[in-house]
Amino acid sequence: MNEATIAKKQNEVQVVVEKINNAGSTLFVDYLGLTVAEVTELRKKLHDEKCEMKVSKNNILRRAADEIGASDIDSHLVGPSAFVTSPDEVTAAKIIYDFAKEHENLTIKAGLVGGKYYDEKQLAALAKLPNKLGMVSMLLSVLQAPYRGLAVALNRVSEQK
């Protein structure tokens, strides 16, 4: 290989490493069998939620995974692979799993969430969780409950008097 090719591949690895490091979660998927229209639809859904899907060679993905200390991913990088990055831990998993329900040709291989390896089963469980905004609203609801209960009780006491 000439030096220009090696430098290009090293640059590609660094781009993938940067994307993975800046993401809350990264999923590795097999998209073989999806039509161009289906891939475009998936990319649009991901883009609407500030997620991104990139196709990359497995060797580039392996080198990037090794560089960030996620060599568990290596065994899953067989056949066509794309990686999906998400700013949070849940959004990409939800979109990918919802899309996979309608399109059998999309399969999830593995992922990294917060820098830790997740297999397909763990990602499926993660996809069932609410996103960050949903979790915050649930927390606020729980925090408001005692005050709401007190207000209702005080209101009933004042109505009786």
Side-chain angles (χ1 to χ4, degrees), residues 44-117:
K44 183 182 180 325
K45 287 181 179 187
L46 289 165
H47 180 74
D48 289 346
E49 296 296 326
K50 310 230 181 329
C51 300
E52 182 180 28
M53 178 176 157
K54 292 281 185 191
V55 175
S56 185
K57 292 182 177 182
N58 287 332
N59 284 336
I60 301 294
L61 293 175
R62 272 190 205 96
R63 288 181 183 160
D66 289 343
E67 193 167 315
I68 61 172
S71 56
D72 296 335
I73 298 295
D74 289 359
S75 64
H76 298 283
L77 298 175
V78 178
S81 296
F83 67 102
V84 179
T85 55
S86 173
D88 63 30
E89 290 77 11
V90 180
T91 304
K94 286 180 134 345
I95 294 168
I96 295 293
Y97 274 92
D98 287 345
F99 197 84
K101 287 177 189 173
E102 301 167 10
H103 303 88
E104 295 175 359
N105 294 331
L106 180 66
T107 56
I108 295 86
K109 297 179 177 187
L112 297 170
V113 179
K116 294 183 182 177
Y117 168 79

Side-chain angles (χ1 to χ4, degrees), residues 112-154:
L112 297 170
V113 179
K116 294 183 182 177
Y117 168 79
Y118 276 53
D119 64 17
E120 195 271 333
K121 289 179 183 175
Q122 291 170 313
L123 290 170
L126 183 69
K128 294 176 184 172
L129 294 174
N131 63 12
K132 187 174 183 177
L133 184 60
M135 288 183 188
V136 168
S137 70
M138 289 170 60
L139 175 65
L140 290 176
S141 177
V142 167
L143 292 175
Q144 287 178 342
Y147 299 109
R148 193 176 317 123
L150 179 63
V152 168
L154 290 174

